Structure formats: structure tokens, C-alpha cells
Coordinates of all heavy atoms in Angstrom, one line a residue:
M30 N -9.6 -3.6 7.7 CA -9.7 -2.2 7.9 C -10.1 -1.5 6.7 O -9.5 -1.7 5.6 CB -8.3 -1.6 8.4 CG -8.2 -0.2 8.4 SD -6.5 0.6 8.5 CE -6.0 -0.2 10.0
Q31 N -11.2 -0.8 6.7 CA -11.7 -0.1 5.5 C -11.3 1.3 5.6 O -11.5 2.0 6.6 CB -13.3 -0.2 5.4 CG -13.9 0.5 4.3 CD -13.5 -0.2 2.9 OE1 -13.2 -1.3 2.9 NE2 -13.6 0.6 1.9
F32 N -10.5 1.8 4.6 CA -10.0 3.1 4.6 C -11.1 4.1 4.3 O -11.9 3.9 3.4 CB -8.9 3.3 3.6 CG -7.7 2.7 3.9 CD1 -6.9 2.0 3.0 CD2 -7.1 2.7 5.2 CE1 -5.7 1.3 3.3 CE2 -5.9 2.1 5.5 CZ -5.2 1.4 4.6
S33 N -11.2 5.2 5.2 CA -12.2 6.2 4.9 C -11.5 7.4 4.1 O -12.2 8.1 3.4 CB -12.7 6.8 6.2 OG -11.6 7.4 7.0
N34 N -10.2 7.3 4.0 CA -9.4 8.3 3.2 C -9.4 7.8 1.8 O -9.3 6.6 1.5 CB -8.0 8.4 3.7 CG -7.9 8.7 5.1 OD1 -8.2 7.8 6.0 ND2 -7.4 9.9 5.5
K35 N -9.6 8.8 0.8 CA -9.5 8.4 -0.6 C -8.1 8.4 -1.1 O -7.8 7.7 -2.1 CB -10.3 9.4 -1.4 CG -11.8 9.3 -1.2 CD -12.5 9.4 -2.6 CE -13.9 9.2 -2.4 NZ -14.5 8.2 -3.2
I36 N -7.1 9.1 -0.4 CA -5.7 9.1 -0.8 C -5.0 8.5 0.4 O -5.0 9.1 1.5 CB -5.3 10.5 -1.2 CG1 -6.1 11.0 -2.4 CG2 -3.8 10.5 -1.5 CD1 -5.8 12.4 -2.8
V37 N -4.2 7.5 0.2 CA -3.4 6.9 1.2 C -2.0 6.7 0.9 O -1.6 6.1 -0.1 CB -4.0 5.4 1.5 CG1 -3.2 4.7 2.6 CG2 -5.5 5.5 1.9
P38 N -1.1 7.3 1.7 CA 0.3 7.2 1.5 C 0.8 5.7 1.6 O 0.4 5.0 2.5 CB 1.0 8.1 2.5 CG -0.1 9.0 3.0 CD -1.3 8.2 2.8
C39 N 1.7 5.3 0.7 CA 2.2 4.0 0.7 C 3.7 4.1 0.9 O 4.5 4.7 0.1 CB 1.9 3.3 -0.6 SG 2.6 1.6 -0.7
L40 N 4.3 3.5 2.0 CA 5.7 3.5 2.3 C 6.3 2.1 1.8 O 5.8 1.1 2.2 CB 5.9 3.7 3.8 CG 5.2 4.9 4.4 CD1 5.3 4.9 5.9 CD2 5.8 6.2 3.8
W41 N 7.4 2.2 1.1 CA 8.0 1.0 0.5 C 9.2 0.6 1.4 O 10.0 1.4 1.8 CB 8.5 1.2 -0.9 CG 7.5 1.4 -1.9 CD1 6.4 2.3 -1.9 CD2 7.3 0.5 -3.1 NE1 5.7 2.1 -3.0 CE2 6.2 0.9 -3.7 CE3 8.0 -0.5 -3.5 CZ2 5.7 0.4 -4.9 CZ3 7.6 -1.2 -4.7 CH2 6.4 -0.7 -5.4
F42 N 9.2 -0.8 1.7 CA 10.3 -1.3 2.5 C 10.9 -2.5 1.7 O 10.3 -3.1 0.8 CB 9.8 -1.7 3.8 CG 9.3 -0.6 4.7 CD1 8.0 -0.2 4.6 CD2 10.1 0.0 5.6 CE1 7.5 0.8 5.4 CE2 9.7 1.0 6.4 CZ 8.3 1.5 6.3
A43 N 12.0 -3.0 2.1 CA 12.6 -4.2 1.6 C 11.9 -5.4 2.2 O 11.3 -6.3 1.5 CB 14.1 -4.3 1.9
S44 N 11.8 -5.4 3.6 CA 11.1 -6.5 4.3 C 10.6 -6.1 5.7 O 10.2 -7.0 6.5 CB 12.1 -7.7 4.5 OG 13.3 -7.3 5.2
E45 N 10.7 -4.8 6.0 CA 10.4 -4.4 7.4 C 9.0 -3.7 7.5 O 8.8 -3.0 8.5 CB 11.4 -3.4 7.8 CG 12.9 -3.8 7.7 CD 13.5 -3.6 6.3 OE1 12.8 -3.1 5.4 OE2 14.6 -4.1 6.0
A46 N 8.1 -3.9 6.6 CA 6.8 -3.3 6.6 C 6.0 -3.4 7.9 O 5.5 -2.5 8.5 CB 5.9 -3.6 5.4
E47 N 5.9 -4.7 8.4 CA 5.1 -5.0 9.6 C 5.8 -4.4 10.8 O 5.2 -3.8 11.7 CB 4.9 -6.5 9.8 CG 4.0 -6.8 11.0 CD 3.7 -8.3 11.1 OE1 4.4 -9.1 10.4 OE2 2.9 -8.6 12.0
E48 N 7.2 -4.6 10.9 CA 7.9 -4.0 12.0 C 7.7 -2.5 12.1 O 7.5 -1.9 13.1 CB 9.4 -4.4 11.8 CG 10.3 -3.8 12.9 CD 11.8 -4.2 12.6 OE1 12.1 -4.9 11.7 OE2 12.6 -3.6 13.4
A49 N 7.8 -1.9 10.9 CA 7.7 -0.4 10.9 C 6.2 0.1 11.3 O 6.1 1.0 12.1 CB 8.0 0.1 9.5
A50 N 5.2 -0.7 10.8 CA 3.8 -0.3 11.1 C 3.6 -0.5 12.7 O 3.0 0.4 13.3 CB 2.9 -1.2 10.4
R51 N 4.1 -1.5 13.2 CA 4.0 -1.7 14.7 C 4.8 -0.7 15.4 O 4.3 -0.2 16.5 CB 4.4 -3.1 15.1 CG 3.4 -4.1 14.4 CD 3.5 -5.5 15.1 NE 2.7 -6.5 14.4 CZ 1.3 -6.6 14.4 NH1 0.7 -5.8 15.2 NH2 0.7 -7.5 13.8
F52 N 5.9 -0.3 14.9 CA 6.7 0.8 15.7 C 5.9 2.1 15.6 O 5.8 2.7 16.7 CB 8.0 0.9 15.0 CG 8.9 2.0 15.5 CD1 9.5 1.9 16.7 CD2 9.0 3.2 14.8 CE1 10.2 3.0 17.2 CE2 9.7 4.3 15.2 CZ 10.4 4.2 16.5
Y53 N 5.5 2.5 14.5 CA 4.8 3.8 14.3 C 3.5 3.8 15.1 O 3.2 4.8 15.8 CB 4.5 4.1 12.8 CG 5.7 4.3 12.0 CD1 5.7 3.8 10.7 CD2 6.8 5.0 12.4 CE1 6.8 4.0 9.8 CE2 7.9 5.2 11.6 CZ 7.9 4.7 10.3 OH 9.0 4.9 9.5
T54 N 2.8 2.7 15.1 CA 1.5 2.7 15.8 C 1.7 2.7 17.3 O 0.8 3.0 18.1 CB 0.6 1.5 15.4 OG1 1.3 0.3 15.6 CG2 0.1 1.7 14.0
G55 N 2.9 2.3 17.8 CA 3.2 2.3 19.2 C 3.6 3.7 19.7 O 3.6 4.0 20.9
I56 N 3.9 4.6 18.7 CA 4.2 6.0 19.1 C 3.1 7.0 19.2 O 3.0 7.8 20.1 CB 5.3 6.6 18.1 CG1 6.6 5.7 18.2 CG2 5.6 8.0 18.3 CD1 7.6 6.0 17.1
F57 N 2.2 6.9 18.2 CA 1.1 7.8 18.0 C -0.2 7.4 18.7 O -0.6 6.2 18.5 CB 0.8 8.1 16.5 CG 2.0 8.8 15.8 CD1 2.9 8.0 15.1 CD2 2.2 10.1 15.9 CE1 4.0 8.6 14.5 CE2 3.3 10.8 15.3 CZ 4.3 9.9 14.6
P58 N -0.9 8.2 19.4 CA -2.1 7.9 20.0 C -3.2 7.7 18.8 O -3.0 8.2 17.7 CB -2.6 9.0 20.9 CG -1.7 10.2 20.4 CD -0.5 9.6 19.7
D59 N -4.3 7.0 19.1 CA -5.3 6.7 18.2 C -4.8 6.0 16.8 O -5.1 6.5 15.8 CB -6.1 8.0 17.8 CG -7.3 7.8 16.9 OD1 -7.9 6.7 17.0 OD2 -7.6 8.7 16.1
S60 N -3.9 5.1 17.1 CA -3.3 4.3 15.9 C -3.5 2.9 16.1 O -3.6 2.4 17.2 CB -1.8 4.6 16.0 OG -1.6 6.0 15.8
R61 N -3.5 2.2 14.9 CA -3.7 0.7 14.9 C -3.1 0.1 13.7 O -3.1 0.8 12.6 CB -5.1 0.4 15.1 CG -6.0 0.8 14.0 CD -7.5 0.7 14.4 NE -8.3 1.2 13.3 CZ -9.1 0.4 12.5 NH1 -9.1 -0.9 12.7 NH2 -9.8 0.9 11.6
V62 N -2.8 -1.2 13.8 CA -2.4 -2.0 12.6 C -3.7 -2.7 12.2 O -4.5 -3.2 13.0 CB -1.4 -3.1 13.0 CG1 -1.1 -4.0 11.9 CG2 -0.1 -2.3 13.4
G63 N -3.9 -2.7 10.9 CA -5.1 -3.4 10.3 C -4.7 -4.6 9.6 O -4.0 -5.4 10.1
K64 N -5.3 -4.7 8.4 CA -5.1 -6.0 7.6 C -3.6 -6.1 7.1 O -3.0 -5.2 6.7 CB -6.0 -5.9 6.3 CG -5.9 -7.1 5.4 CD -6.8 -7.0 4.2 CE -6.6 -8.1 3.3 NZ -7.4 -8.1 2.1
I65 N -3.2 -7.4 7.2 CA -1.8 -7.8 6.7 C -2.0 -8.8 5.6 O -2.6 -9.8 5.8 CB -1.0 -8.3 7.9 CG1 -0.8 -7.3 9.0 CG2 0.3 -8.9 7.3 CD1 0.0 -7.8 10.2
A66 N -1.6 -8.4 4.4 CA -1.6 -9.3 3.3 C -0.3 -10.0 3.1 O 0.8 -9.4 3.3 CB -2.0 -8.5 2.0
R67 N -0.3 -11.2 2.6 CA 0.9 -12.0 2.5 C 1.2 -12.5 1.2 O 0.2 -12.7 0.4 CB 0.9 -13.2 3.5 CG 0.7 -12.7 5.0 CD 0.8 -13.8 6.0 NE 0.7 -13.2 7.3 CZ 1.7 -12.6 8.0 NH1 2.9 -12.6 7.5 NH2 1.5 -12.2 9.2
Y68 N 2.4 -12.7 0.8 CA 2.8 -13.3 -0.5 C 2.3 -14.7 -0.6 O 2.4 -15.4 0.5 CB 4.3 -13.2 -0.7 CG 4.9 -11.9 -1.2 CD1 5.5 -11.1 -0.2 CD2 4.8 -11.5 -2.4 CE1 6.1 -9.9 -0.6 CE2 5.3 -10.3 -2.9 CZ 5.9 -9.5 -1.9 OH 6.5 -8.3 -2.3
G69 N 1.8 -15.2 -1.7 CA 1.5 -16.5 -1.9 C 2.5 -17.2 -2.8 O 3.5 -16.6 -3.2
K70 N 2.2 -18.4 -3.2 CA 3.1 -19.2 -4.1 C 3.0 -18.6 -5.5 O 4.0 -18.6 -6.2 CB 2.7 -20.7 -4.1 CG 3.1 -21.4 -2.8 CD 2.8 -22.9 -2.9 CE 3.1 -23.6 -1.6 NZ 2.8 -25.0 -1.7
A71 N 1.8 -18.1 -5.8 CA 1.6 -17.6 -7.2 C 2.5 -16.4 -7.4 O 2.6 -15.5 -6.6 CB 0.2 -17.2 -7.4
G72 N 3.2 -16.4 -8.5 CA 4.1 -15.2 -8.9 C 5.4 -15.3 -8.2 O 6.2 -14.4 -8.4
Q73 N 5.7 -16.3 -7.5 CA 7.0 -16.4 -6.7 C 8.2 -16.2 -7.7 O 9.2 -15.7 -7.3 CB 7.1 -17.7 -5.9 CG 8.3 -17.6 -5.0 CD 8.4 -18.8 -4.1 OE1 7.8 -19.8 -4.3 NE2 9.2 -18.7 -3.0
E74 N 8.1 -16.8 -8.9 CA 9.2 -16.7 -9.9 C 9.4 -15.2 -10.3 O 10.5 -14.8 -10.7 CB 9.0 -17.5 -11.1 CG 7.8 -17.0 -12.0 CD 6.4 -17.5 -11.4 OE1 6.3 -18.2 -10.5 OE2 5.4 -17.0 -12.0
T75 N 8.5 -14.3 -10.1 CA 8.6 -13.0 -10.4 C 9.0 -12.1 -9.1 O 10.0 -11.4 -9.2 CB 7.3 -12.4 -10.9 OG1 6.9 -13.1 -12.1 CG2 7.4 -10.9 -11.3
H76 N 8.2 -12.2 -8.0 CA 8.5 -11.5 -6.9 C 9.6 -12.0 -6.0 O 10.2 -11.3 -5.2 CB 7.2 -11.2 -6.0 CG 6.5 -12.4 -5.5 ND1 7.0 -13.3 -4.5 CD2 5.3 -12.9 -5.8 CE1 6.2 -14.2 -4.3 NE2 5.1 -14.0 -5.0
G77 N 9.9 -13.3 -6.0 CA 11.0 -13.9 -5.3 C 10.9 -13.9 -3.8 O 11.8 -14.2 -3.1
Q78 N 9.7 -13.7 -3.3 CA 9.4 -13.7 -1.8 C 8.9 -15.0 -1.4 O 8.2 -15.7 -2.0 CB 8.4 -12.6 -1.4 CG 8.9 -11.1 -1.9 CD 10.1 -10.7 -1.3 OE1 10.4 -10.8 -0.1 NE2 11.1 -10.2 -2.1
K79 N 9.3 -15.4 -0.1 CA 8.9 -16.6 0.5 C 7.4 -16.5 0.7 O 6.8 -15.6 1.2 CB 9.6 -16.7 1.9 CG 9.2 -18.0 2.6 CD 10.0 -18.0 3.9 CE 9.4 -19.2 4.7 NZ 10.1 -19.2 6.1
P80 N 6.6 -17.6 0.3 CA 5.2 -17.6 0.5 C 4.9 -17.5 2.0 O 5.5 -18.1 2.8 CB 4.8 -19.0 0.0 CG 5.8 -19.4 -1.0 CD 7.1 -18.8 -0.5
G81 N 3.9 -16.6 2.3 CA 3.5 -16.4 3.7 C 4.2 -15.1 4.3 O 3.8 -14.7 5.3
S82 N 5.3 -14.7 3.6 CA 5.9 -13.4 4.1 C 5.0 -12.2 3.9 O 4.1 -12.2 3.0 CB 7.3 -13.3 3.6 OG 7.2 -13.1 2.1
V83 N 5.2 -11.1 4.6 CA 4.3 -10.0 4.6 C 4.5 -9.2 3.3 O 5.6 -8.9 2.9 CB 4.6 -9.1 5.8 CG1 3.8 -7.7 5.6 CG2 4.2 -9.7 7.1
L84 N 3.4 -9.0 2.6 CA 3.4 -8.2 1.3 C 3.1 -6.7 1.7 O 3.8 -5.8 1.5 CB 2.4 -8.7 0.3 CG 2.1 -7.9 -0.9 CD1 3.3 -7.7 -1.8 CD2 1.0 -8.5 -1.7
T85 N 1.9 -6.5 2.3 CA 1.4 -5.2 2.7 C 0.8 -5.2 4.1 O 0.3 -6.2 4.6 CB 0.4 -4.6 1.7 OG1 -0.8 -5.4 1.7 CG2 0.9 -4.4 0.3
V86 N 0.9 -4.0 4.7 CA 0.3 -3.8 6.0 C -0.5 -2.5 6.0 O 0.1 -1.5 5.6 CB 1.3 -3.7 7.2 CG1 0.7 -3.5 8.6 CG2 2.3 -4.9 7.2
Q87 N -1.8 -2.6 6.3 CA -2.6 -1.4 6.4 C -2.5 -0.9 7.9 O -2.6 -1.8 8.8 CB -4.0 -1.6 6.0 CG -4.2 -2.0 4.6 CD -5.7 -2.3 4.2 OE1 -6.5 -2.4 5.2 NE2 -6.0 -2.4 3.0
F88 N -2.3 0.4 8.1 CA -2.3 0.9 9.4 C -2.8 2.3 9.5 O -2.8 3.0 8.4 CB -0.9 0.7 10.1 CG 0.2 1.5 9.5 CD1 0.7 2.6 10.1 CD2 0.8 1.0 8.3 CE1 1.8 3.3 9.5 CE2 1.9 1.7 7.7 CZ 2.4 2.8 8.3
E89 N -3.1 2.8 10.7 CA -3.6 4.2 10.9 C -2.7 4.8 11.9 O -2.4 4.2 12.9 CB -5.0 4.3 11.3 CG -6.0 3.9 10.2 CD -7.4 4.2 10.6 OE1 -7.7 4.7 11.8 OE2 -8.3 3.8 9.8
L90 N -2.3 6.1 11.7 CA -1.6 6.9 12.7 C -2.4 8.1 13.0 O -2.7 8.9 12.1 CB -0.2 7.3 12.2 CG 0.7 6.2 11.7 CD1 2.0 6.8 11.2 CD2 1.0 5.3 13.0
A91 N -2.9 8.2 14.2 CA -3.8 9.4 14.6 C -4.9 9.6 13.6 O -5.2 10.7 13.2 CB -3.0 10.6 14.7
G92 N -5.5 8.5 13.1 CA -6.6 8.5 12.2 C -6.2 8.6 10.7 O -7.1 8.5 9.9
Q93 N -5.0 8.8 10.4 CA -4.5 8.9 9.0 C -4.1 7.5 8.5 O -3.3 6.8 9.1 CB -3.3 9.9 8.8 CG -2.7 9.8 7.4 CD -3.5 10.2 6.3 OE1 -4.1 11.3 6.3 NE2 -3.6 9.4 5.3
A94 N -4.7 7.0 7.4 CA -4.5 5.7 6.8 C -3.1 5.7 6.1 O -2.8 6.7 5.5 CB -5.6 5.3 5.9
F95 N -2.4 4.6 6.2 CA -1.1 4.3 5.5 C -1.1 2.9 5.0 O -1.8 2.0 5.6 CB 0.1 4.5 6.4 CG 0.4 5.9 6.8 CD1 -0.3 6.6 7.9 CD2 1.3 6.7 6.1 CE1 0.0 7.9 8.2 CE2 1.5 8.0 6.5 CZ 0.9 8.6 7.5
T96 N -0.3 2.6 4.1 CA 0.0 1.3 3.7 C 1.5 1.1 3.7 O 2.2 2.0 3.2 CB -0.5 0.9 2.2 OG1 -1.9 1.1 2.2 CG2 -0.1 -0.5 1.8
A97 N 2.0 0.0 4.2 CA 3.5 -0.3 4.2 C 3.6 -1.5 3.2 O 2.8 -2.4 3.4 CB 4.0 -0.6 5.5
L98 N 4.5 -1.4 2.3 CA 4.7 -2.5 1.3 C 6.1 -3.0 1.3 O 7.0 -2.3 1.3 CB 4.3 -2.0 -0.1 CG 4.5 -3.0 -1.2 CD1 3.3 -2.9 -2.1 CD2 5.7 -2.6 -2.0
N99 N 6.2 -4.4 1.4 CA 7.6 -5.0 1.2 C 7.8 -5.3 -0.2 O 7.1 -6.2 -0.8 CB 7.6 -6.3 2.1 CG 7.8 -6.0 3.6 OD1 8.3 -5.0 4.0 ND2 7.3 -7.0 4.4
G100 N 8.6 -4.6 -0.9 CA 8.9 -4.8 -2.3 C 10.2 -5.6 -2.5 O 10.6 -5.8 -3.7
G101 N 10.8 -6.1 -1.4 CA 12.0 -6.9 -1.6 C 13.2 -6.0 -1.6 O 13.2 -4.8 -1.5
P102 N 14.4 -6.7 -1.7 CA 15.6 -6.0 -1.6 C 15.9 -4.9 -2.7 O 16.8 -4.0 -2.5 CB 16.7 -7.1 -1.7 CG 16.0 -8.3 -2.3 CD 14.6 -8.1 -2.0
L103 N 15.2 -5.0 -3.8 CA 15.4 -4.0 -4.9 C 14.7 -2.6 -4.5 O 14.9 -1.6 -5.0 CB 14.9 -4.4 -6.2 CG 15.7 -5.6 -6.8 CD1 15.0 -6.1 -8.1 CD2 17.1 -5.3 -6.9
F104 N 13.8 -2.7 -3.6 CA 13.0 -1.5 -3.1 C 13.2 -1.3 -1.6 O 12.3 -1.6 -0.8 CB 11.5 -1.8 -3.5 CG 11.3 -2.0 -4.9 CD1 11.0 -3.3 -5.4 CD2 11.2 -1.0 -5.8 CE1 10.9 -3.5 -6.8 CE2 11.1 -1.2 -7.1 CZ 10.9 -2.4 -7.7
E105 N 14.2 -0.7 -1.2 CA 14.4 -0.3 0.1 C 13.8 0.9 0.5 O 13.5 1.8 -0.3 CB 15.9 -0.3 0.4 CG 16.6 -1.6 0.2 CD 18.1 -1.6 0.4 OE1 18.6 -0.5 0.9 OE2 18.8 -2.6 0.2
F106 N 13.6 1.1 1.8 CA 12.9 2.2 2.4 C 13.8 3.5 2.1 O 15.0 3.5 2.2 CB 12.7 2.2 3.8 CG 11.9 3.3 4.4 CD1 10.6 3.5 4.2 CD2 12.6 4.2 5.2 CE1 9.9 4.5 4.8 CE2 12.0 5.3 5.8 CZ 10.6 5.4 5.6
N107 N 13.1 4.6 1.6 CA 13.8 5.9 1.4 C 12.8 7.0 1.6 O 11.7 6.7 2.1 CB 14.5 5.9 0.0 CG 13.5 5.8 -1.1 OD1 12.4 6.4 -1.1 ND2 13.8 5.1 -2.1
E108 N 13.2 8.2 1.3 CA 12.3 9.3 1.6 C 11.1 9.4 0.6 O 10.3 10.3 0.8 CB 13.1 10.6 1.7 CG 13.9 10.9 0.4 CD 15.2 10.2 0.4 OE1 15.7 9.8 1.4 OE2 15.8 10.1 -0.7
A109 N 11.1 8.6 -0.4 CA 10.0 8.7 -1.4 C 8.7 8.1 -0.8 O 8.8 7.3 0.1 CB 10.4 7.9 -2.7
V110 N 7.6 8.5 -1.4 CA 6.3 8.0 -0.9 C 5.4 7.9 -2.2 O 5.6 8.7 -3.1 CB 5.6 9.0 0.1 CG1 5.3 10.3 -0.5 CG2 4.4 8.3 0.7
S111 N 4.6 6.9 -2.2 CA 3.6 6.7 -3.3 C 2.3 7.0 -2.7 O 2.1 6.8 -1.5 CB 3.6 5.2 -3.8 OG 4.9 4.9 -4.3
L112 N 1.3 7.4 -3.6 CA 0.0 7.7 -3.1 C -0.9 6.7 -3.8 O -0.9 6.5 -5.0 CB -0.4 9.1 -3.5 CG 0.4 10.2 -2.8 CD1 0.0 11.6 -3.3 CD2 0.3 10.2 -1.3
Q113 N -1.8 6.0 -3.0 CA -2.8 5.2 -3.5 C -4.1 5.9 -3.5 O -4.5 6.6 -2.5 CB -3.0 4.0 -2.5 CG -1.8 3.1 -2.5 CD -2.0 2.0 -1.4 OE1 -1.9 2.3 -0.2 NE2 -2.3 0.8 -1.9
I114 N -4.8 5.9 -4.6 CA -6.1 6.6 -4.8 C -7.2 5.6 -4.8 O -7.2 4.8 -5.7 CB -6.1 7.5 -6.1 CG1 -4.8 8.3 -6.3 CG2 -7.3 8.3 -6.2 CD1 -4.5 9.3 -5.3
Y115 N -8.0 5.6 -3.8 CA -9.2 4.7 -3.8 C -10.4 5.3 -4.4 O -10.8 6.4 -4.1 CB -9.5 4.3 -2.3 CG -8.4 3.4 -1.7 CD1 -7.3 4.0 -1.0 CD2 -8.4 2.1 -1.8 CE1 -6.3 3.2 -0.5 CE2 -7.5 1.3 -1.3 CZ -6.4 1.8 -0.6 OH -5.4 1.0 -0.1
V116 N -10.9 4.6 -5.4 CA -12.1 5.0 -6.1 C -13.1 3.8 -6.2 O -12.7 2.7 -6.0 CB -11.7 5.4 -7.6 CG1 -10.9 6.7 -7.6 CG2 -11.0 4.3 -8.4
D117 N -14.3 4.1 -6.5 CA -15.4 3.0 -6.6 C -15.1 2.1 -7.8 O -15.3 0.9 -7.7 CB -16.7 3.6 -6.7 CG -17.1 4.4 -5.4 OD1 -16.6 4.0 -4.3 OD2 -17.8 5.4 -5.5
D118 N -14.7 2.7 -8.9 CA -14.4 1.9 -10.1 C -13.5 2.7 -11.1 O -13.3 3.9 -10.8 CB -15.7 1.5 -10.8 CG -16.6 2.6 -11.1 OD1 -16.1 3.6 -11.6 OD2 -17.8 2.4 -10.9
Q119 N -13.1 2.2 -12.1 CA -12.2 2.9 -13.1 C -12.9 4.1 -13.7 O -12.3 5.1 -14.0 CB -11.9 1.9 -14.2 CG -10.8 2.5 -15.2 CD -10.3 1.6 -16.2 OE1 -10.7 0.4 -16.3 NE2 -9.5 2.1 -17.2
W120 N -14.2 4.0 -13.8 CA -15.0 5.2 -14.3 C -14.9 6.4 -13.5 O -14.9 7.5 -13.9 CB -16.4 4.8 -14.6 CG -16.6 3.8 -15.7 CD1 -16.9 2.5 -15.5 CD2 -16.5 4.0 -17.1 NE1 -16.9 1.8 -16.7 CE2 -16.7 2.7 -17.7 CE3 -16.2 5.1 -17.9 CZ2 -16.6 2.6 -19.0 CZ3 -16.1 4.9 -19.2 CH2 -16.3 3.6 -19.8
S121 N -14.7 6.2 -12.1 CA -14.5 7.3 -11.2 C -13.3 8.1 -11.5 O -13.3 9.3 -11.2 CB -14.5 6.8 -9.8 OG -15.7 6.1 -9.5
T122 N -12.3 7.5 -12.1 CA -11.0 8.2 -12.3 C -11.1 9.1 -13.6 O -10.2 10.0 -13.7 CB -9.8 7.2 -12.5 OG1 -10.0 6.5 -13.7 CG2 -9.7 6.3 -11.3
G123 N -12.0 8.8 -14.4 CA -12.1 9.5 -15.7 C -11.1 9.0 -16.8 O -11.1 9.3 -17.9
S124 N -10.2 8.0 -16.4 CA -9.3 7.5 -17.3 C -10.0 6.6 -18.4 O -9.5 6.6 -19.6 CB -8.2 6.6 -16.6 OG -8.8 5.5 -16.0
A125 N -11.0 6.0 -18.1 CA -11.8 5.2 -19.1 C -12.3 6.1 -20.1 O -12.3 5.9 -21.3 CB -12.9 4.4 -18.4
N126 N -12.9 7.3 -19.7 CA -13.4 8.3 -20.6 C -12.3 8.8 -21.6 O -12.5 9.0 -22.7 CB -14.1 9.4 -19.9 CG -15.4 8.9 -19.3 OD1 -16.0 8.0 -19.8 ND2 -15.8 9.6 -18.2
R127 N -11.2 9.1 -21.0 CA -10.1 9.6 -21.8 C -9.6 8.7 -22.8 O -9.4 9.0 -23.9 CB -8.9 10.1 -20.9 CG -9.3 11.4 -20.1 CD -8.0 11.9 -19.5 NE -7.4 11.1 -18.5 CZ -7.8 11.0 -17.2 NH1 -8.7 11.8 -16.8 NH2 -7.3 10.2 -16.4
T128 N -9.6 7.4 -22.4 CA -9.1 6.3 -23.3 C -10.1 6.2 -24.5 O -9.8 6.1 -25.6 CB -8.9 5.0 -22.6 OG1 -8.0 5.2 -21.5 CG2 -8.4 3.9 -23.5
R129 N -11.4 6.1 -24.1 CA -12.4 6.0 -25.0 C -12.4 7.1 -26.1 O -12.6 7.0 -27.2 CB -13.8 5.8 -24.3 CG -14.8 5.1 -25.3 CD -16.0 4.6 -24.5 NE -16.9 5.8 -24.5 CZ -17.8 6.0 -23.6 NH1 -17.9 5.3 -22.6 NH2 -18.6 7.0 -23.7
S130 N -12.4 8.3 -25.5 CA -12.4 9.5 -26.5 C -11.2 9.6 -27.4 O -11.3 10.0 -28.5 CB -12.6 10.8 -25.7 OG -11.6 11.0 -24.8
R131 N -10.0 9.1 -26.9 CA -8.8 9.1 -27.7 C -9.0 8.1 -28.8 O -8.6 8.3 -30.0 CB -7.6 8.7 -26.9 CG -6.9 10.0 -26.4 CD -5.6 9.6 -25.8 NE -5.5 10.0 -24.5 CZ -5.1 9.4 -23.4 NH1 -4.7 8.1 -23.5 NH2 -5.2 9.9 -22.2
S132 N -9.5 6.9 -28.5 CA -9.7 5.8 -29.5 C -10.7 6.2 -30.6 O -10.7 5.7 -31.7 CB -9.8 4.5 -28.9 OG -11.1 4.5 -28.1
A133 N -11.7 7.0 -30.1 CA -12.8 7.3 -31.1 C -12.4 8.4 -32.1 O -13.0 8.6 -33.1 CB -14.0 7.9 -30.2
S134 N -11.3 9.1 -31.9 CA -10.9 10.1 -32.8 C -10.0 9.6 -33.9 O -9.5 8.6 -33.9 CB -10.3 11.3 -32.1 OG -9.4 10.9 -31.1

């Protein structure tokens, strides 16, 4: 699923991301589950998740893109939301220019 939105809300869960995405897409018309990314063996000592378990789920509700993320038991679902900003490259954000101009002075 390629997001057409430049800003996508990200909902954090302990381990219920796929279940939540399927629940939400079952309620709203014009909704669908997209790409599901899974944890691999790499980094397991850091993330502590079983290889093959769900990491992120991309989904749309009535045309609005969302990402659901399983952060493990330390990051349970709550009313907070993160925003993902999709850009073509780092130069699009202007952060590279700010960094360069700071280091040049």
C-alpha cells in the first residue's frame, strides 16, 4: 500500500496492532488492511519480540491512512498518537539545510 497522505497517524500497541487494524477496517466503509511488516531475528536482543510477529500494519479508514505499531509491553495503547511525515528525501524536510548552516557558522 503506497500512502498518498504525507502525514500518517501512527497508533502504538503492545501486541494488538493487526487485531486493531482488522477491527477498525471492519467498521468503516472504504477501508482496508495493507502491508504488514514483521519482526526479524536481527535486533531481537534489543526489541525482544518473537521473529515473525507483527511489527507494523498499514491500513486505511475511509481513505485516511494509518499505521499501527506493536512496540511491546513497554508501549501499550493509550490516547497518544504519533505522526509520520512522508518525504521524498531528507532534503525535503529542510533539516539537512539547518544542520549544514549551523555547522558552517
